[in-house]
Amino acid sequence: LSVALSGTILSRCPACARNFANLYCNNICSPDQSLFTNVTRVVNRTVQGKPQLAVVEYQCFYQQDFAD
């Protein structure tokens, strides 16, 4: 949903939409998240009666060549 919404907002710039989608997918799906992500804030929540932690804030660190 977030990527589709960004595509609509960034539709005037296809390269921007692709770059945003690439960053989003790396942040959410990368098996190497622990190498570039630092969780800075979590909250307790309950899902189907089970307590869980949810990440609500994090920092990402990218190498310059990836950012470029």
Side-chain angles (χ1 to χ4, degrees):
L1 181 63
S2 296
V3 175
L5 181 59
S6 69
T8 301
I9 294 169
L10 298 172
S11 63
R12 291 184 181 185
C13 178
C16 294
R18 280 191 306 274
N19 288 339
F20 181 84
N22 185 34
L23 281 172
Y24 180 83
C25 291
N26 273 292
N27 287 342
I28 303 304
C29 303
S30 173
D32 299 320
Q33 283 178 334
S34 64
L35 301 177
F36 60 86
T37 302
N38 179 37
V39 174
T40 56
R41 186 170 163 223
V42 295
V43 295
N44 291 311
R45 66 182 212 150
T46 302
V47 176
Q48 297 180 349
K50 296 180 182 178
Q52 294 181 343
L53 291 176
V55 174
V56 293
E57 185 177 286
Y58 62 93
Q59 297 171 314
C60 286
F61 303 94
Y62 299 111
Q63 293 180 357
Q64 187 64 44
D65 62 335
F66 180 82
D68 290 341

